[in-house]
Protein backbone atom coordinates (compact mmCIF):
# COMPACT_ATOMS: atom_id res chain seq x y z
CA UNK A 1 0.00 0.00 0.00
CA UNK A 2 1.50 3.36 -1.02
CA UNK A 3 1.36 6.65 0.86
CA UNK A 4 -1.11 7.94 -1.72
CA UNK A 5 -3.32 4.90 -1.15
CA UNK A 6 -3.27 5.54 2.60
CA UNK A 7 -4.15 9.20 2.14
CA UNK A 8 -6.93 8.70 -0.36
CA UNK A 9 -8.30 5.44 0.99
CA UNK A 10 -7.94 3.81 -2.42
CA UNK A 11 -6.56 0.46 -1.32
CA UNK A 12 -8.88 -2.44 -2.03
CA UNK A 13 -10.42 -4.62 0.66
CA UNK A 14 -10.72 -4.33 4.45
CA UNK A 15 -7.21 -2.93 4.87
CA UNK A 16 -8.06 -0.02 2.59
CA UNK A 17 -11.32 0.63 4.44
CA UNK A 18 -9.50 0.61 7.76
CA UNK A 19 -6.82 3.00 6.54
CA UNK A 20 -9.42 5.40 5.13
CA UNK A 21 -11.10 5.42 8.54
CA UNK A 22 -7.78 6.07 10.28
CA UNK A 23 -7.05 8.98 7.94
CA UNK A 24 -10.45 10.49 8.73
CA UNK A 25 -9.82 10.02 12.46
CA UNK A 26 -6.49 11.80 12.11
CA UNK A 27 -8.11 14.68 10.24
CA UNK A 28 -10.76 14.96 12.96
CA UNK A 29 -8.14 14.88 15.72
CA UNK A 30 -6.11 17.60 14.01
CA UNK A 31 -9.19 19.76 13.48
CA UNK A 32 -10.20 19.47 17.15
CA UNK A 33 -6.66 20.19 18.33
CA UNK A 34 -6.45 23.16 15.97
CA UNK A 35 -9.48 24.80 17.57
CA UNK A 36 -7.99 24.45 21.04
CA UNK A 37 -4.58 25.66 19.83
CA UNK A 38 -6.10 28.84 18.39
CA UNK A 39 -7.93 29.50 21.65
CA UNK A 40 -4.76 28.83 23.65
CA UNK A 41 -2.83 31.36 21.55
CA UNK A 42 -5.60 33.88 22.15
CA UNK A 43 -5.57 33.19 25.90
CA UNK A 44 -1.81 33.70 26.02
CA UNK A 45 -2.11 37.15 24.45
CA UNK A 46 -4.91 38.10 26.84
CA UNK A 47 -2.78 37.41 29.94
CA UNK A 48 0.56 38.70 28.60
CA UNK A 49 0.18 41.98 30.47
CA UNK A 50 -0.05 40.15 33.79
CA UNK A 51 3.18 38.21 33.36
CA UNK A 52 5.37 37.41 35.14
CA UNK A 53 3.13 36.99 38.17
CA UNK A 54 4.46 37.50 41.68
CA UNK A 55 2.95 35.52 44.56
CA UNK A 56 1.50 38.67 46.13
CA UNK A 57 -0.15 39.62 42.84
CA UNK A 58 -2.14 36.37 42.74
CA UNK A 59 -4.28 37.34 45.73
CA UNK A 60 -5.10 40.71 44.18
CA UNK A 61 -6.30 39.49 40.78
CA UNK A 62 -9.66 40.68 39.52
CA UNK A 63 -12.37 38.17 38.66
CA UNK A 64 -11.79 38.87 34.97
CA UNK A 65 -8.04 38.26 35.25
CA UNK A 66 -8.64 35.02 37.17
CA UNK A 67 -10.99 33.84 34.43
CA UNK A 68 -8.38 34.62 31.76
CA UNK A 69 -5.67 32.75 33.67
CA UNK A 70 -7.99 29.79 34.29
CA UNK A 71 -8.71 29.67 30.55
CA UNK A 72 -4.97 29.63 29.82
CA UNK A 73 -4.45 26.65 32.15
CA UNK A 74 -7.48 24.79 30.82
CA UNK A 75 -6.48 25.21 27.18
CA UNK A 76 -2.84 24.33 27.87
CA UNK A 77 -3.99 21.12 29.57
CA UNK A 78 -6.49 20.33 26.84
CA UNK A 79 -4.09 20.80 23.94
CA UNK A 80 -1.32 18.78 25.62
CA UNK A 81 -3.75 15.91 26.25
CA UNK A 82 -5.19 16.06 22.72
CA UNK A 83 -1.77 15.90 21.10
CA UNK A 84 -0.51 13.15 23.42
CA UNK A 85 -3.61 10.95 23.53
CA UNK A 86 -5.28 11.52 20.17
CA UNK A 87 -3.17 13.22 17.50
CA UNK A 88 0.02 11.23 18.11
CA UNK A 89 -1.81 7.90 18.21
CA UNK A 90 -3.88 8.68 15.11
CA UNK A 91 -0.78 9.78 13.20
CA UNK A 92 1.14 6.63 14.09
CA UNK A 93 -1.77 4.43 13.01
CA UNK A 94 -1.89 6.13 9.63
CA UNK A 95 1.87 5.67 9.34
CA UNK A 96 1.28 1.97 10.06
CA UNK A 97 3.35 1.95 13.23
CA UNK A 98 2.55 -0.69 15.85
CA UNK A 99 1.50 1.16 19.01
CA UNK A 100 -0.59 -1.37 20.92
CA UNK A 101 2.01 -2.12 23.60
CA UNK A 102 4.02 1.08 23.33
CA UNK A 103 4.16 3.64 26.13
CA UNK A 104 3.43 7.32 25.57
CA UNK A 105 7.16 7.93 25.65
CA UNK A 106 7.77 5.35 22.93
CA UNK A 107 4.96 6.80 20.83
CA UNK A 108 6.39 10.30 21.20
CA UNK A 109 9.85 9.08 20.19
CA UNK A 110 8.37 7.45 17.10
CA UNK A 111 6.72 10.73 16.10
CA UNK A 112 10.03 12.51 16.65
CA UNK A 113 11.77 9.91 14.48
CA UNK A 114 9.23 10.52 11.72
CA UNK A 115 10.11 14.21 11.86
CA UNK A 116 6.66 15.38 12.92
CA UNK A 117 7.65 16.46 16.44
CA UNK A 118 10.78 18.49 17.10
CA UNK A 119 12.84 17.00 19.96
CA UNK A 120 14.14 20.39 21.14
CA UNK A 121 10.62 21.36 22.22
CA UNK A 122 10.75 18.81 25.03
CA UNK A 123 7.19 17.55 24.74
CA UNK A 124 7.81 15.18 27.67
CA UNK A 125 8.35 18.19 29.92
CA UNK A 126 5.15 19.77 28.57
CA UNK A 127 3.23 16.64 29.54
CA UNK A 128 4.88 16.67 32.96
CA UNK A 129 3.89 20.33 33.38
CA UNK A 130 0.32 19.42 32.49
CA UNK A 131 0.32 16.88 35.32
CA UNK A 132 1.62 19.48 37.76
CA UNK A 133 -1.07 21.93 36.66
CA UNK A 134 -3.73 19.32 37.37
CA UNK A 135 -2.42 18.79 40.91
CA UNK A 136 -1.29 22.26 41.95
CA UNK A 137 -2.69 23.86 45.10
CA UNK A 138 -4.84 26.89 44.16
CA UNK A 139 -4.68 28.08 47.78
CA UNK A 140 -0.89 28.52 47.69
CA UNK A 141 -0.20 31.86 45.92
CA UNK A 142 3.50 31.15 45.50
CA UNK A 143 3.00 27.80 43.80
CA UNK A 144 0.10 29.12 41.77
CA UNK A 145 2.21 32.01 40.47
CA UNK A 146 5.07 29.64 39.61
CA UNK A 147 2.75 27.31 37.67
CA UNK A 148 1.10 30.15 35.78
CA UNK A 149 4.45 31.69 34.85
CA UNK A 150 5.78 28.35 33.62
CA UNK A 151 2.65 27.59 31.58
CA UNK A 152 2.81 31.04 30.02
CA UNK A 153 6.49 30.55 29.17
CA UNK A 154 5.97 27.08 27.65
CA UNK A 155 2.81 27.82 25.68
CA UNK A 156 4.82 28.83 22.62
CA UNK A 157 6.61 25.45 22.72
CA UNK A 158 3.27 23.65 22.87
CA UNK A 159 1.88 25.67 19.96
CA UNK A 160 5.04 24.99 17.95
CA UNK A 161 4.68 21.27 18.65
CA UNK A 162 1.08 21.40 17.43
CA UNK A 163 2.01 23.35 14.31
CA UNK A 164 4.86 20.97 13.50
CA UNK A 165 2.67 17.88 13.62
CA UNK A 166 -0.01 19.67 11.60
CA UNK A 167 2.48 20.70 8.91
CA UNK A 168 3.92 17.17 8.71
CA UNK A 169 0.50 15.53 8.38
CA UNK A 170 -0.74 18.07 5.85
CA UNK A 171 2.36 17.66 3.71
CA UNK A 172 2.94 13.92 3.91
CA UNK A 173 -0.55 12.46 4.34
CA UNK A 174 -3.04 15.01 3.02
CA UNK A 175 -0.91 16.53 0.22
CA UNK A 176 -1.69 20.07 1.37
CA UNK A 177 -5.47 19.61 1.25
CA UNK A 178 -6.20 19.56 4.99
CA UNK A 179 -7.15 23.24 5.09
CA UNK A 180 -6.11 23.85 8.72
CA UNK A 181 -4.00 26.83 9.74
CA UNK A 182 -1.18 26.80 12.30
CA UNK A 183 -1.83 28.45 15.65
CA UNK A 184 1.50 30.30 15.75
CA UNK A 185 2.35 33.73 14.32
CA UNK A 186 1.67 32.66 10.73
CA UNK A 187 -1.71 31.13 11.52
CA UNK A 188 -5.02 31.81 13.22
CA UNK A 189 -3.46 32.32 16.64
CA UNK A 190 -0.86 34.85 15.54
CA UNK A 191 -0.58 38.50 16.47
CA UNK A 192 -3.24 40.65 14.91
CA UNK A 193 -5.63 37.79 14.25
CA UNK A 194 -9.27 37.89 15.25
CA UNK A 195 -10.16 36.09 18.49
CA UNK A 196 -11.33 32.50 18.09
CA UNK A 197 -14.91 31.66 18.98
CA UNK A 198 -15.52 31.45 21.85
CA UNK A 199 -12.78 33.83 23.06
Amino acid sequence: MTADDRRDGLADGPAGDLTALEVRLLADALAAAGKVAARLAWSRRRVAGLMPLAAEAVTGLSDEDEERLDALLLRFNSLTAMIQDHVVRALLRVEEEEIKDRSRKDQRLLVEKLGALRPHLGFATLAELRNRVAHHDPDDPGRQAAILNEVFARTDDLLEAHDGILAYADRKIFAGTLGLKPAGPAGTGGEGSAPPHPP
Side-chain angles (χ1 to χ4, degrees):
M1 188 188 304
T2 68
D4 287 340
D5 290 335
R6 293 200 305 272
R7 183 184 68 245
D8 299 329
L10 297 179
D12 294 328
D17 293 340
L18 179 60
T19 302
L21 174 61
E22 290 168 343
V23 170
R24 287 196 297 272
L25 290 174
L26 174 59
D28 290 344
L30 289 168
K35 291 178 181 179
V36 177
R39 292 168 186 167
L40 175 60
W42 174 244
S43 286
R44 188 187 188 284
R45 292 199 303 278
R46 295 183 78 204
V47 304
L50 302 173
M51 298 299 180
L53 270 177
E56 55 270 22
V58 171
T59 57
L61 291 170
S62 68
D63 289 344
E64 181 180 1
D65 287 340
E66 286 188 3
E67 289 177 359
R68 290 181 177 185
L69 290 166
D70 286 345
L72 178 74
L73 294 179
L74 175 63
R75 289 163 181 168
F76 182 92
N77 280 8
S78 295
L79 183 58
T80 305
M82 293 178 81
I83 292 174
Q84 179 173 255
D85 299 331
H86 300 285
V87 174
V88 163
R89 293 175 65 86
L91 177 60
L92 290 174
R93 287 193 180 101
V94 171
E95 291 284 17
E96 300 181 343
E97 297 283 354
E98 179 55 55
I99 63 172
K100 181 178 180 182
D101 297 319
R102 292 185 182 270
S103 66
R104 285 175 172 173
K105 177 182 178 181
D106 289 341
Q107 292 175 31
R108 184 185 71 253
L109 291 174
L110 278 174
V111 174
E112 289 180 356
K113 185 177 179 180
L114 289 171
L117 185 61
R118 300 176 180 91
H120 76 273
L121 296 174
F123 192 85
T125 61
L126 293 170
E128 190 274 334
L129 176 56
R130 172 183 175 257
N131 291 334
R132 285 193 283 124
V133 169
H135 297 97
H136 84 283
D137 184 358
D139 296 323
D140 185 327
R143 291 185 180 180
Q144 189 173 11
I147 284 288
L148 286 165
N149 288 332
E150 189 171 359
V151 166
F152 179 80
R154 297 301 309 278
T155 291
D156 280 346
D157 289 339
L158 181 57
L159 292 173
E160 186 177 343
H162 164 270
D163 290 353
I165 294 175
L166 175 63
Y168 172 91
D170 196 26
R171 179 182 69 253
K172 188 171 185 294
I173 298 168
F174 297 96
T177 64
L178 195 54
L180 299 175
K181 295 181 179 180
T188 58
E191 291 295 337
S193 63
H197 179 75

